[in-house]
Amino acid sequence: MSTLLEQIESPADVKRLSVEQLKELAGQLRQFIIETVSRTGGHLGSSLGAVELTLALHYVFDFSADKLLWDVGHQCYAHKIVTGRKAGFDKLRQADGPSGFPNPAESEYDQFAVGHAGTSIATAIGMALGADIKKTDEKIVAFVGDASIVNGTNFEALNNLGLVKRQLLIVLNDNSMAIDATVGSLAKYFSKIRLSHTYEDMRKTTKNILEHMPIIGKSMEEAIEKIKKTIRMTLPGSQLFESMNIPYFGPVDGHDIESLIQLFEAVCELDHPAILHAYTKKGKGFEPAEQDRSRLHSTGPFEVNGDAMESVSAVKGRNFTDVFGEAIVELAAKDQSIVAITSAMCDGTGLNGFRERFGERFFDVGIAEGAAVDIAAGLAKEGLKPVVCIYSTFLQRSFDQIFQEVALQNLGVVFCLDRAGLVGADGPTHHGLMDIGFLRMMPNVVLVAPATETEVKGALEFALGANKCVCIRYPKDIVGAKDSESKACRKPFVLGKSVVVRKSADSQIVVVSYGAVLGEAIKAAEVLAGEGIEAEVVNARFAVPVDKKVVAAALAGRCIITVEDHWAACGFGSAVQEAVLAAGGKAGKLRMKNLAMGAEFVKPASRAQQLMQAGVNADNIVRTVKELISE
Amino acid sequence: MSTLLEQIESPADVKRLSVEQLKELAGQLRQFIIETVSRTGGHLGSSLGAVELTLALHYVFDFSADKLLWDVGHQCYAHKIVTGRKAGFDKLRQADGPSGFPNPAESEYDQFAVGHAGTSIATAIGMALGADIKKTDEKIVAFVGDASIVNGTNFEALNNLGLVKRQLLIVLNDNSMAIDATVGSLAKYFSKIRLSHTYEDMRKTTKNILEHMPIIGKSMEEAIEKIKKTIRMTLPGSQLFESMNIPYFGPVDGHDIESLIQLFEAVCELDHPAILHAYTKKGKGFEPAEQDRSRLHSTGPFEVNGDAMESVSAVKGRNFTDVFGEAIVELAAKDQSIVAITSAMCDGTGLNGFRERFGERFFDVGIAEGAAVDIAAGLAKEGLKPVVCIYSTFLQRSFDQIFQEVALQNLGVVFCLDRAGLVGADGPTHHGLMDIGFLRMMPNVVLVAPATETEVKGALEFALGANKCVCIRYPKDIVGAKDSESKACRKPFVLGKSVVVRKSADSQIVVVSYGAVLGEAIKAAEVLAGEGIEAEVVNARFAVPVDKKVVAAALAGRCIITVEDHWAACGFGSAVQEAVLAAGGKAGKLRMKNLAMGAEFVKPASRAQQLMQAGVNADNIVRTVKELISE
C-alpha cells in the first residue's frame, strides 16, 4: 500500500490534499479496493467507478455535518475507506468487519443502512424538509446511479422534489450499465445522450456551468436560466428533469476530479434542489471489471493475474440458482407459454440460459419490481405462464402488486424467490426472511419450498401446472448432494402434501422441515438415531396449504419441531401452529416447537454461521428434541 | 329514466347511436349516476368526468375482444352501466349489487379487479406482450388519471413501454384534480399546460392530429413525426413523454365526444404504444361535484336539491378518523416536532385540521406511498416526529420502505393506519387485512390498536413518545359511545401492556380483543353473564409485543379467545399463539381459539355484515365460548 492512502484517517485528510495528490489517491484507492475484494468478494465495479466522485464530494462537503445519502449503497467502498474504516477492510462483509453497504452503526458518515434501490432521493427530501423545519443549514447530497433512478420510488421522489425550498443536490452517477444491462426508455435516453457526447462536449458543459454560476451581485435564478440555456443548446439532456422543474447540470466527466471539485463548489451553494449528471465508467481502472461489468458487479474472491483475473471461488457444488436456471430452460423448451420476467437480476436469478435460448419470451424491466409483477399479471391474463424471478428481499417491493394484481385476480403467476432465507455476507437488507409471512396472508396463493436439486425442478413443474399463483422459495446456497436425496424427494409435488424423508411412525418426535434446511433435519435425525432416539423427518414442501397429516400428528400429541429459514413471526412454523390450533378447538396436549430466526436483524457473516447463531441447524434440532423428550 | 339509456344493454347498442344521440346518452348517464350515487354513495366526481371518454372508447373499440384496463377503477361507472350492469346499479357497492370498481367476476368487459392506483400501464404492457407472443390482435387500452400516472409503478411501466412493439393506447384522463389536490411537479407541469391552453388550442391540436394521421401510402412514423412537430409548435406538453420516447398526442377536449371518436379511430391503428392526453372536468355536469371536487370524490348518500346537495348520511357518531384528526391537532399544538405526511388522502385520513393549522409541517406527496414513507424516514432522521397517515391497504405499497428505511434504522416514525380491517362497500381491494402480519415480522416495530375514542389519543400520545416505529391501526367505523369506555381504557398506554376491561380472574374464559372489536367482546361477555357464564375481557392494545400476562393465562390453561379484524393468517391471534407456544416448550393443555377473517377475499357489503359473516362479532364470541366450555 502506498503512502497517501495510509495517511487518510478521515475526510479531513482528504481536504488537505492537492488536486494532483487526489488523483494519486484515487489510483491508490482503486488498487486497495481491487486487492481487498479479490480476497473478500464484494461489489467491485460500482465502487471502482465512483472513486473520483466520492473524493470530490468529501473534498467539498463536510459529511460530519452535511448528509450524504447513498442509493443502493454498494458503490460506497471508497467512502468507507476515507471515513475511518480502512483498517478493517480486509474483513469486508464478514462477521467482524465492515458491511458492504452504508451503515450508521459503523460511522457517523453514514446516514441510512441501505441495500435496496430507490431510496436516496426521498430520504434526502425528508432530511431537507427536516432541516428546514429545524432551521439548520447542513447540506444534503443524494448519490444515485442510473439503474436506480428509474425505480418507482425515486421517480415519486423526483416528482415531489418541489416540496424542498432549500439546497439538496442529487448526484446522478451514470455508468450507463446497471447491475445487468440497463433497460427502459430512460436508460436508452441517457445512453443516446452519452453516445452523442464527446469528452470535449463534457469539458464545454463543465465550463459553461462554472462560468454562469452565481457570484455576488448576480441572481441565482438568472444564473441557472443562463446555464440551462447554454446547456440546452449543446444537448437535450435536461428535457426529462426540466419537465419536472428540476434544475439540471451536466453531463460532466465523473472521473475529472479537478472539475468535479469546482462543480460541487459551485452547485453546493444553490438554495434549491438540483441534479448533477456525471458520466463514469463502471469498473474503472480494472480491466476485467471494465470488460465484464455485469459479472464483476458483485463477485466472489478472485486472483489478479496482471490485467486478467481468475475466480478462486471456494464454493463446492451447484447452487439452487443454477439448478433453477437449468430447470426453467428444460421446461420452457417443451412449453411455449412459459415466459420469464426479472427486475435487473437476470444473472443473479439464473436466467441467463433462458434469455439466450428464449429471448422473445424474456423480459428484464430494470429495478422496477412493482412493474415486473404487473407485467407478469398481464401476461398471465393473456393465458401465458409467467415466471417472475426476483430475490425474496426485493419482492417485498411488489407486495401490493402480488396482492391485488395477482392474488385477487387468482392468476397463474409463478414466483421464484431466489435468496430466500439468510444470504450471508450481504447482511440485513438482503436476507429474505419475510416472504412466507407476507405471501401466506393472501388468498389464492400457494407456497412451496424445494429441499433438494430434484425438488427444484419438481416444484417448478408443479407450479407451472397449477394454474394458480405459486411462490417457490430457495436460498443462496448449494443444493444438497444428490445422494442425500431420499426417494421421497423424487416424488412429484402434490398440492399440500408433504413427504416423509425418514420414517418412524412410532416415534413421538416429528421434525417438519420447510425447504433447504431439510439437510439439517436429516443430519439431526442421524445423530439422534446414533444415540438411540428415533425421529421422523418430514419434508413439508408446502407452507400453504399446510399438510393435514402434520396437523393430525400434532393433534395426536406427537412432538412437532418445525424448522425453517425465515423469521419465526408469520413463518412456516407459525402457519403450522395456526392450522393446528384452528383444527384443535377441542385441543388436548400440544407439543410444538418452532426453530426459526428470532426477531432481530441478522448481521453479515457466512450463511452457515448465521443459521447456527439462529439455531436453525442440526445441533439445535438435536438439543431441542432431547429437551422435549426429557419433559 | 329516459329512453336512450333504457335501450343500452351492451356496448353494441352504443355503437349504433349517432354523435347527437351519444351526447344525449352522456347526459342521461350523468343523471343516472348522480341519482344512483345519491342513494348508494360512491365515487361520484371521477365517474362523471369520464362519461364521454368512456362512450367514445366503447364506440370505437370492441371490448368484448379488445382490452380496457382501468387505473384505480373508481371512474368506471359509465362503463359498468353500458356493459350490462345498469339493472343492478341501484345496489351499487352493496352485497348483492355491482362493486364500485372493475370486476371480471361481474363482466367480460372488465379485466382486472382493481382499486389501488398505478397498475393500468404495467398490466397493459403485460397483456400487449402476451398478445404479441400469442400473435393475436386485440387492441389494448389503459385508462389512467393524472393523479395515478405519477405513481411509481406507472412510471416504472412508462419506462418499460419500449418493450411493446405493437398497439397499446394510454388514455390520460386529466381532470387536474386528484383525490385530494394533485401534488408534485408533474401535476404542476400538466396544470401549467392546461392553464396556457384554450379551448381553441385543443380544437387545433385535435385537427392537427387528425390531419396528419397515417392514411394509405403514408408511413406511420412520418405521420407521427409531423404531428409531433405540429403539436410541439403549439405547446410543450409532450416533453416528458418524448424524453421517454413515448408518442404523445394532445391535449384534447375529453368532453367533445365527436372529436374523441375521430381521435380514437385514428390512434387505434398505430402499431406501437401511444398516449392520448385528454382534459376533463371532475364532477362534470353536477354543480356541487364540480365545485367541491375533493369532497365528492367519494361520497355517502345525499339529497339532490336543484343544483345543490345535502348529505343524508345515516352514520351516527364520530368515527375513528375524526377522533384521530382532533388528537393530532391537539398534540401538534404542544409539540413543534410533530409533522404529518399523507399520500393523497389528507381528507380521508382526517388531516384537514392539521393541514389548516400546521401547513408548514404537513406534506402530501400524492399517490406515492413509497416516497411518503421514505420522506418520513428522512424527517425522523433529522429528529422530527413524523406521523404517516395512509390507509392500511395502501400502506402495502410501502412494505419494503417501512422494512428498510424505518425498521432497520430503528427510526421513530409513527404510522396511523386508517381503514384497517373491513371497510364495507369498497370491497376486497380496500380492506386492511394484512397490516398486522406484514408489520409484525419487522424487528423494532411496535403494533398498537386503540379500541375507544380515549384510546385513539392515548395510542397516539404513546407512539409520539416512544422514539420507535409505532403503527396504530383503526377501522373505518364509529368509535364506541363514550360511556361504554371502561376506566381501564383511560389508562395511559404502556408498552406491551393490555388492560382488563371486564375482570373475572376466576373465570376460565378470557376474551382478548385487539382494537375496535372490543365492543363486540364486551357485548358477548354481557350476554354470557346473563346466562351465568363469566368471561374476562382483555383489551390487548398491543399486538407487538404480546402481553406476557396473556401468555401466562394461556399457559395456565385458561381458554383464550382472541378477536380481531384481520386475516387469521399472521394476525393478532397468530402472534399470541406464537408467543404462547414459544414460551410453552413444556406446554400442557392449551385452549386457544382465534376469531378473525378466513382466507377468502371479502366482498362489498356493510362493515357490520362483513364482520358478522366472518364471525368476528358478539354472537360468535358467545357461541365459541359455549363450545369451549362444553368440551
Side-chain angles (χ1 to χ4, degrees), chain A residues 111 113 116 134 138 152 156 159-160 184-186 365 381-382 396-397 400-401 404 409 570 574 578, chain B residues 111 113 116 134 138 152-153 156 159-160 184-186 365 381-382 396-397 400-401 404 409 570 574 578:
Chain A
Q111 299 303 322
H116 294 196
K134 294 189 314 173
E138 67 270 33
E156 291 176 353
N159 191 40
N160 277 289
S185 324
L186 216 62
V365 299
K381 195 87 192 172
E382 287 278 335
Q396 291 163 196
R397 280 287 176 86
D400 191 53
Q401 284 81 11
Q404 185 183 266
Q409 327 294 325
C570 307
S574 168
E578 280 175 22
Chain B
Q111 299 301 322
H116 295 196
K134 293 190 315 174
E138 67 270 33
T153 309
E156 291 177 351
N159 191 38
N160 276 289
S185 325
L186 217 62
V365 298
K381 194 86 193 171
E382 288 277 336
Q396 292 164 195
R397 279 288 176 85
D400 191 53
Q401 284 80 13
Q404 185 183 267
Q409 326 294 326
C570 306
S574 169
E578 280 175 24

Side-chain angles (χ1 to χ4, degrees), chain A residues 67 104 111-116 118-119 122-123 125-127 129-131 133-134 136 138 140 150-153 155-160 162-163 183-187 189 239-240 242-244 339 360-361 363-365 367-371 374-375 377-379 381-382 384 393 396-397 399-401 403-405 407-409 411 428-429 433-434 437-438 440-444 566-570 574 577-578 581-582 585-593 599-601 628 631, chain B residues 67 104 111-116 118-119 122-123 125-127 129-131 133-134 136 138 140 150-153 155-163 183-187 189 239-240 242-244 339 360-361 363-365 367-371 374-375 377-379 381-382 384 393 396-397 399-401 403-405 407-409 411 428-429 433-434 437-438 440-444 566-570 574 577-578 581-582 585-590 592-593 599-601 628 631:
Chain A
K67 313 290 181 185
Q111 299 303 322
F112 279 84
V114 288
H116 294 196
T119 71
T123 46
I125 290 175
M127 295 190 83
L129 296 175
I133 292 171
K134 294 189 314 173
T136 55
E138 67 270 33
I140 293 163
V150 299
N151 179 272
T153 310
F155 173 77
E156 291 176 353
L158 285 174
N159 191 40
N160 277 289
L163 290 173
V183 289
S185 324
L186 216 62
Y189 173 70
Q239 198 179 17
L240 172 82
E242 253 178 55
S243 73
M244 301 181 87
V339 295
E360 71 292 350
R361 290 192 258 151
F363 307 105
D364 181 353
V365 299
I367 306 180
E369 293 83 4
D374 280 358
I375 289 173
L379 282 157
K381 195 87 192 172
E382 287 278 335
L384 293 155
T393 189
Q396 291 163 196
R397 280 287 176 86
F399 176 41
D400 191 53
Q401 284 81 11
F403 160 69
Q404 185 183 266
E405 287 87 87
L408 179 58
Q409 327 294 325
L411 287 174
T429 54
L433 298 176
M434 299 205 280
F438 77 76
R440 80 178 179 85
M441 284 188 282
M442 303 177 193
N444 299 332
H566 187 277
W567 268 323
C570 307
S574 168
Q577 294 175 356
E578 280 175 22
L581 285 165
K586 304 173 183 180
K589 191 162 178 163
L590 288 179
R591 294 186 297 172
M592 296 170 73
K593 192 84 190 166
E600 274 180 29
F601 290 108
L628 281 167
E631 278 169 26
Chain B
K67 314 289 182 186
Q111 299 301 322
F112 280 82
V114 287
H116 295 196
T119 72
T123 47
I125 289 175
M127 295 191 83
L129 295 174
I133 292 171
K134 293 190 315 174
T136 54
E138 67 270 33
I140 293 163
V150 298
N151 179 271
T153 309
F155 173 76
E156 291 177 351
L158 286 173
N159 191 38
N160 276 289
L161 204 55
L163 290 173
V183 289
S185 325
L186 217 62
Y189 173 71
Q239 199 181 16
L240 171 82
E242 253 178 54
S243 74
M244 302 182 86
V339 294
E360 72 292 348
R361 290 193 258 151
F363 307 104
D364 181 354
V365 298
I367 306 181
E369 292 84 4
D374 280 357
I375 289 172
L379 283 156
K381 194 86 193 171
E382 288 277 336
L384 293 155
T393 188
Q396 292 164 195
R397 279 288 176 85
F399 175 41
D400 191 53
Q401 284 80 13
F403 160 69
Q404 185 183 267
E405 286 87 86
L408 179 58
Q409 326 294 326
L411 287 173
T429 54
L433 297 177
M434 299 205 279
F438 78 76
R440 82 180 178 84
M441 286 188 281
M442 304 178 193
N444 299 332
H566 187 277
W567 268 324
C570 306
S574 169
Q577 294 175 359
E578 280 175 24
L581 285 165
K586 305 173 182 179
K589 190 161 179 168
L590 289 179
M592 296 170 73
K593 192 84 191 170
E600 273 179 31
F601 290 108
L628 281 167
E631 276 170 26

Side-chain angles (χ1 to χ4, degrees), chain B residues 317-565:
Chain B
R318 285 145 52 76
N319 59 36
F320 278 91
T321 310
D322 299 331
V323 173
F324 161 75
E326 287 168 21
I328 193 173
V329 167
E330 194 184 323
L331 294 169
K334 289 180 283 188
D335 185 347
Q336 302 289 318
S337 63
I338 296 173
V339 294
I341 298 108
T342 186
S343 52
M345 288 292 172
C346 176
D347 185 49
T349 59
L351 284 176
N352 280 341
F354 185 94
R355 177 171 60 182
E356 274 160 36
R357 282 212 36 196
F358 312 106
E360 72 292 348
R361 290 193 258 151
F362 169 84
F363 307 104
D364 181 354
V365 298
I367 306 181
E369 292 84 4
V373 170
D374 280 357
I375 289 172
L379 283 156
K381 194 86 193 171
E382 288 277 336
L384 293 155
K385 293 180 182 167
V387 180
V388 179
C389 299
I390 297 182
Y391 293 179
S392 167
T393 188
F394 297 144
L395 195 68
Q396 292 164 195
R397 279 288 176 85
S398 319
F399 175 41
D400 191 53
Q401 284 80 13
I402 302 172
F403 160 69
Q404 185 183 267
E405 286 87 86
V406 179
L408 179 58
Q409 326 294 326
N410 201 9
L411 287 173
V413 177
V414 176
F415 291 93
C416 290
L417 283 66
D418 203 314
R419 270 72 165 172
L422 295 161
V423 295
D426 277 335
T429 54
H430 280 57
H431 300 309
L433 297 177
M434 299 205 279
D435 56 273
I436 301 174
F438 78 76
L439 293 166
R440 82 180 178 84
M441 286 188 281
M442 304 178 193
N444 299 332
V445 174
V446 172
L447 299 192
V448 184
T452 65
E453 175 159 357
T454 317
E455 286 203 340
V456 171
K457 196 179 148 201
L460 187 59
E461 265 181 315
F462 164 81
L464 287 164
N467 196 22
K468 281 186 84 65
C469 175
V470 179
C471 306
I472 307 173
R473 83 188 304 256
Y474 39 84
K476 183 185 186 179
D477 209 340
I478 54 167
V479 289
K482 275 200 172 183
D483 51 24
S484 87
E485 287 181 26
S486 78
K487 230 161 76 184
C489 295
R490 303 217 174 103
K491 289 187 194 163
F493 277 67
V494 180
L495 182 68
K497 298 289 177 208
S498 62
V499 290
V500 179
V501 173
R502 188 185 174 100
K503 241 193 165 81
S504 180
D506 295 337
S507 165
Q508 278 308 294
I509 302 291
V510 187
V511 179
V512 185
S513 155
Y514 187 57
V517 288
L518 176 65
E520 299 296 315
I522 293 172
K523 222 183 291 173
E526 282 161 2
V527 171
L528 287 164
E531 303 184 25
I533 304 167
E534 269 309 316
E536 186 153 294
V537 177
V538 174
N539 173 5
R541 286 188 166 180
F542 291 86
V544 176
V546 169
D547 193 341
K548 291 198 179 81
K549 280 194 296 188
V550 172
V551 174
L555 291 176
R558 296 177 79 185
C559 285
I560 305 289
I561 296 126
T562 45
V563 186
E564 69 189 303
D565 187 9

Side-chain angles (χ1 to χ4, degrees), chain A residues 81-297:
Chain A
I81 294 165
V82 302
T83 53
R85 285 167 278 184
K86 187 179 52 193
F89 228 64
D90 55 329
K91 292 184 175 171
L92 179 68
R93 304 164 80 239
Q94 292 165 23
D96 46 357
S99 72
F101 296 93
N103 187 354
E106 287 173 9
S107 167
E108 58 161 345
Y109 290 97
D110 294 0
Q111 299 303 322
F112 279 84
V114 288
H116 294 196
T119 71
S120 65
I121 302 176
T123 46
I125 290 175
M127 295 190 83
L129 296 175
D132 218 27
I133 292 171
K134 294 189 314 173
K135 304 201 194 315
T136 55
D137 62 358
E138 67 270 33
K139 296 196 169 68
I140 293 163
V141 179
F143 191 103
V144 54
D146 56 307
S148 302
I149 203 162
V150 299
N151 179 272
T153 310
N154 264 337
F155 173 77
E156 291 176 353
L158 285 174
N159 191 40
N160 277 289
L161 204 55
L163 290 173
V164 177
K165 312 292 183 198
R166 75 186 294 283
Q167 183 279 342
L168 190 172
L169 176 64
I170 299 167
V171 178
L172 173 56
N173 172 29
D174 181 357
N175 59 31
S176 84
M177 168 63 93
I179 294 178
D180 238 292
T182 306
V183 289
S185 324
L186 216 62
K188 281 184 197 123
Y189 173 70
F190 286 155
S191 130
K192 202 165 71 183
I193 302 174
R194 190 173 185 124
L195 288 172
S196 68
H197 212 62
T198 64
Y199 185 74
E200 202 36 56
D201 290 330
M202 290 197 285
R203 300 280 320 158
K204 218 183 285 173
T205 301
T206 301
K207 199 162 150 272
N208 280 333
I209 295 171
L210 295 175
E211 260 173 19
H212 291 98
M213 261 297 150
I215 45 166
I216 297 151
K218 196 156 99 181
S219 111
M220 196 87 72
E221 284 188 7
E222 203 180 295
I224 289 176
E225 213 35 62
K226 272 192 192 146
I227 297 161
K228 271 164 64 179
K229 268 185 200 145
T230 329
I231 293 170
R232 203 187 300 138
M233 286 192 319
T234 61
L235 89 164
S238 58
Q239 198 179 17
L240 172 82
F241 301 107
E242 253 178 55
S243 73
M244 301 181 87
N245 203 27
I246 303 168
Y248 166 94
F249 305 106
V252 299
D253 181 356
H255 297 302
D256 176 356
I257 201 161
E258 183 168 13
S259 297
L260 288 175
I261 289 171
Q262 293 174 313
L263 286 163
F264 287 141
E265 279 171 345
V267 295
C268 81
E269 294 299 337
L270 295 173
D271 61 356
H272 45 71
I275 189 159
L276 181 73
H277 184 178
Y279 285 158
T280 60
K281 194 163 186 179
K282 189 163 183 170
K284 169 90 173 174
F286 185 47
E287 193 65 27
E290 288 188 27
Q291 292 308 316
D292 192 346
R293 295 179 289 184
S294 177
R295 182 175 154 221
L296 285 179
H297 167 71

